[in-house]
Amino acid sequence: MDRENGPRVPEQRAPEAGLHSGGDLRFGVLGPVRAWRDGEALPSGSPQQRALLAALLMREGRTATAAELIDAIWGDESPSQALAAVRTYASRLRKILDPGVLVSDAGGYAIRVPAGAVDLNVAQELAAEAEKLRAAGDRSASRSRLGKALGLWDGEALASVPGPYAETQRVRLEEWRLQLLETRLDMDLEAGAHAEAVSELTALTAAHPLRERLRELLMLALYRSGRQAEALAVYADTRRLLADELGVDPCPELSRLQQRILQADAELARPVEESAPAPVVARPAQLPATVPDFTGRNSFVRDLGKRLSTAEGSVMAVSALAGIGGVGKTTLAVHVAHEARPHFPDGQLYVDLQGAGARAAAPETVLGAFLRALGTPDSAIPDSLDERAALYRSTLDGRRVLVLLDNARDAAQIRPLLPGTAGCAALVTSRIRMVDLAGAHLVDLDVMSPEEALQLFTRIVGAERVSAEREAALDVVAACGFLPLAIRIAASRLAARRTWTVAVLAAKLADERRRLDELQAGDLAVKATFELGYGQLEPAQARAFRLLGLADGPDISLAAAAAVLDLELHATEDLLEALVDTSLLESAAPGRYRYHDLVRLYARACAERDEQPPVERELALSRLLDFYLSTAARVYAIERPGDRTVAHLEATHHAGLEFSDHAQALDWLHAEADCVLACAQQSLAPESLRRAVDLLMATKDLAESGINALRYEMAAVAARDAARAACDARSEGRARTTLGQVYSTAGRFDEADEQARLAMDLGRSSGDPWTRGNAPNERGILALYENRHLDAETHLSQARDAFRADANKPGEASALCNLSRVHLATGRVASAVELAKQGIAIYAEADTGLALRLANGKYALGLALTAGGQTVEARAVLTEALGVFQESRQQLWHGMTLFRLAEVHLADRRYAAAAANAEQALSVLHGIGGEWRRANVLTVLGRGLSALGQTDRARVCWSEALTVFERLGSPEATEVHGLLHPAAVA
């Protein structure tokens, strides 16, 4: 988007075929007046000849008389030979265009082509379709059509065409374009895309300051983005501008919106069409399939069904089912939920809270998924748990939704997930009784009765086999402790083995070594059931079952499983699919597998009991660590070719995966993030500590991308503590350097500096070249952020020398680019430019196809060029860097580069572009980068807005920035205080 002049001007091109086929000849009037044949531009002649062509095209096939054409081209100042000139222009156009296109008719002329051959007609058709789709409630399709219509503009309509007719049409078409833009932006806000709309609306209000509808949309977008003070400031700026320029007050719609914002009207926080029953309202249907052989539990089904059906009354219904693992809580809850679906026409939500495992699902994560399922766009989902819970309850208000919360850890985990109003209901399952869940109907689910257990067994095995051996069947269900899960597994085994009799199965279960004591703790009964299935596995299957359960990740890929088992992929897949067939393993997705939480615990118990020699357990996890480290190192090398980090990683015995391109490598890293970080944290024993720390080093992109920053930080903290306990100076130095980078990314500079300081000491004592280069590099960056320029130069010079000693060219280039920023901060602009160019030259000299590190160099060069007044060059290199950061999913650097581009535009006095880029930076940096960076962006945004005359909104931005800087004790507070109080500074 061109932030000075409105929507982005696309490259000049032939319009695509529209709604009607128009052959090979195409015309454009929504920009320069042009014609194409087969995509090739045709000569359009002089300005007056283009004026004639435009006048005919705008009449959509209707005849224009010679007098009308003369008036359109020259108005009251037509030359004496005007009629002859018109005939000449028409003759020339006939030679250019296809035969029969330009025709003479009743003393005038007309152009006869299908409507789809003229971009204006295509835009009109698209706009009409969009209007119909919006009326029908299909906002998504309507927005798409409007986007296509607006995309047909190629700059100013009828550009450079002379004459009064063209001028009139230009004004009309520009007004229509703005109306379409306003409609599309209105629908953006209805769809909850308010955060994204702020940047575009900021630019549009700058380009069209007196257009009140745009101001109204901007106020609403800011308010829904949680920026109420800025929204009110927009109104104040608008009122002052209208009074100064036109001597009028804002329109009633704008004034009413201001009052509603002042009153914090709750209706403003939701899309305007949300309350209307429209077909676009999301109705989630997330319930898992109910089992076809559901058996018994009649009293529970009746009781729970009755309570759910009363949820339409004045009280929100909550029922909590508790019982031991395998007792059938989930099966019962899903069955009841399906029967109750007619009472909840607005949808059913479901989540497995993984409460029985080591890492239960976080409520905020679940709320994010629920809000998306209910139609809330990602941009509208807040960060904090309390805000998400409040939005969740607001979204459910007035809707009839059933929420099934399966496998809950405790009441604290589910309280934020409960609907807050009548009409909704919640079903909860857990291994514990939730006596502290106020108002809940508690249900204790025990094992099945003998009759129900036998009935379930019969439905799975078949009535004929059971009736012939009824007593043996009773022995089987009794040996299973009447647990539904145990009965289901035993019956499924028997059903799959036609040569077995029920008595054979009963005899196997009669063995006390297998049966245990089902009537004791519930886990023992479940283990007895799993023991039955485990005992039927082939040796290779049993080994796979034991060893794969050792890994801590939420699931495991086929390639990672092959590493654990030390087998080829196809052999591993055969074993895993066999385990899936036995119900001891689940297929989470193609090529990915996972355990039920209780089955995982049982698998680990089997590994401790049966894996011989015991060291095989450690070897299996060591192979997994090797696989992740080797593969992560390949990703790192693709991202940062030539970087010596890979050379300093611990040696591995697994080659890891290979990738065909950059995108595939990044896809793997982000898909495996949870598993990789879980493996690193699981592998902190002394014998694998160094590889675990190195795995974190190789996956630093997970922290810098912002997606997995918190999980990454937890692993880095654990690695640091383990290295310190092991007295491993090299590992501790690397872990502290990595942790310092995590803290720096989050804007926690004091904590980051402390980690980097200790890492420097450890690097010296251990002689580790990686830490000796990276720790001072990190400290130098932090000192630069905190305006400790002498410290910064000292640390960065030390880093440069360490990288040189290690022959780490990319590291040396990085230090030089960071030194460039120090020189820039201390007024040495020329040397700053030179240092950045030296760094870029080193990257380029490597000729490794390096992109990400080169982008970092261009970022530094862009800053120096901006300070040196070379803004055109600065904008070019920063734009190149921006594209790389976006492609590499570097959220922090993506946002910061937008911020730097805003500074360039500010220096160029392109204030609308500066404000728009700053707004984009705020959106991208949401949730990453910390408060200090956000305050810097707000400062620049305020400068841009102030220059545009939006002083009230600018002061809101500066006030927020000043609060942050003062809280952090940052020197930038002085500058911002001066912006807010210029008289005091003077």
Side-chain angles (χ1 to χ4, degrees), residues 784 789 792-793 796-797 800 815-836 838 864 867:
L784 173 64
H789 301 131
E793 190 158 2
L796 290 170
S797 297
R800 177 199 59 201
L816 288 171
C817 291
N818 290 329
L819 275 169
S820 165
R821 296 178 63 181
V822 176
H823 282 230
L824 182 61
T826 51
R828 294 172 282 174
V829 177
S831 59
V833 172
E834 180 58 29
L835 283 167
Q838 288 178 24

Side-chain angles (χ1 to χ4, degrees), residues 335-676:
H335 181 79
V336 170
H338 273 284
E339 290 203 341
R341 284 185 64 184
H343 297 287
F344 301 94
D346 296 319
Q348 305 85 38
L349 297 168
Y350 171 84
V351 65
D352 179 3
L353 294 169
Q354 304 174 29
R359 284 185 286 273
E364 51 264 47
T365 303
V366 176
L367 285 169
F370 277 1
L371 286 167
R372 292 184 191 96
L374 290 166
T376 306
D378 284 356
S379 60
I381 298 176
D383 288 332
S384 73
L385 171 61
D386 290 342
E387 288 177 319
R388 287 188 176 190
L391 179 58
Y392 170 66
R393 292 190 294 269
S394 298
T395 304
L396 289 179
D397 186 28
R399 301 171 75 171
R400 309 217 54 227
V401 174
L402 174 62
V403 184
L404 177 46
L405 305 173
D406 193 21
N407 196 10
R409 179 183 57 199
D410 51 32
Q413 185 189 25
I414 67 166
R415 285 194 187 97
L417 310 178
L418 296 177
T421 57
C424 293
L427 266 177
V428 183
T429 74
S430 176
R431 297 177 70 184
I432 65 171
R433 295 189 81 242
M434 296 199 173
V435 293
D436 53 345
L437 189 60
H441 169 59
L442 302 182
V443 177
D444 291 322
L445 197 59
D446 202 348
V447 296
M448 283 182 152
S449 68
E451 292 77 18
E452 289 177 334
L454 183 61
Q455 186 180 4
L456 174 59
F457 185 81
T458 303
R459 287 191 173 183
I460 298 172
V461 173
E464 183 178 351
R465 296 176 73 182
V466 173
S467 61
E469 299 179 88
R470 180 178 173 81
E471 291 302 319
L474 288 171
D475 290 341
V476 169
V477 297
C480 289
F482 305 110
L483 281 169
L485 182 58
I487 295 167
R488 182 173 297 280
I489 292 176
S492 297
R493 290 293 174 197
L494 184 60
R497 289 161 174 78
R498 303 302 301 176
T499 60
W500 281 17
T501 63
V502 181
V504 169
L505 178 60
K508 290 179 177 293
L509 289 176
D511 187 342
E512 291 184 355
R513 294 173 304 163
R514 296 186 180 278
R515 194 177 69 177
L516 301 177
D517 189 353
E518 295 86 354
L519 300 178
Q520 292 184 8
D523 280 349
L524 292 178
V526 173
K527 286 180 182 178
T529 303
F530 295 153
E531 184 75 24
L532 174 65
Y534 175 67
Q536 304 305 315
L537 297 177
E538 299 293 333
Q541 296 171 349
R543 174 179 177 269
F545 174 73
R546 294 191 300 268
L547 295 183
L548 293 176
L550 296 173
D552 267 355
D555 60 5
I556 193 166
S557 68
L558 178 59
V564 171
L565 301 178
D566 197 19
L567 295 172
E568 297 294 332
L569 279 178
H570 69 274
T572 303
E573 186 174 22
D574 288 344
L575 288 173
L576 269 56
E577 289 299 325
L579 291 175
V580 170
D581 291 340
T582 64
S583 301
L584 290 174
L585 195 65
E586 299 176 16
S587 179
R592 301 199 72 86
Y593 301 87
R594 69 185 175 207
Y595 286 93
H596 182 279
D597 48 11
L598 294 176
V599 179
R600 182 196 296 272
L601 294 176
Y602 175 73
R604 291 182 174 181
C606 290
E608 292 178 7
R609 182 189 67 192
D610 300 340
E611 199 59 47
Q612 299 298 329
V615 71
E616 178 59 22
R617 298 197 297 272
E618 287 72 30
L619 290 175
L621 289 176
S622 179
R623 290 191 294 267
L624 179 64
L625 177 58
D626 267 7
F627 166 76
Y628 283 138
L629 178 55
S630 297
T631 308
R634 289 182 182 272
V635 178
Y636 191 97
I638 291 172
E639 279 282 272
R640 300 169 177 83
D643 192 312
R644 290 273 296 162
T645 293
V646 174
H648 293 306
L649 299 176
E650 282 287 290
T652 64
H653 301 287
H654 196 291
L657 297 177
E658 295 185 2
F659 303 104
S660 59
D661 56 41
H662 172 266
Q664 187 184 41
L666 282 181
D667 287 343
W668 178 89
L669 179 63
H670 289 279
E672 292 285 354
D674 285 339
C675 296
V676 166

Side-chain angles (χ1 to χ4, degrees), residues 667-704:
D667 287 343
W668 178 89
L669 179 63
H670 289 279
E672 292 285 354
D674 285 339
C675 296
V676 166
L677 296 176
C679 180
Q681 195 164 348
Q682 186 182 16
S683 305
L684 297 177
E687 62 272 11
S688 57
L689 173 61
R690 290 195 168 191
R691 283 179 293 152
V693 171
D694 286 359
L695 179 56
L696 292 176
M697 288 164 46
T699 56
K700 61 179 290 186
D701 281 346
L702 294 178
E704 293 186 356

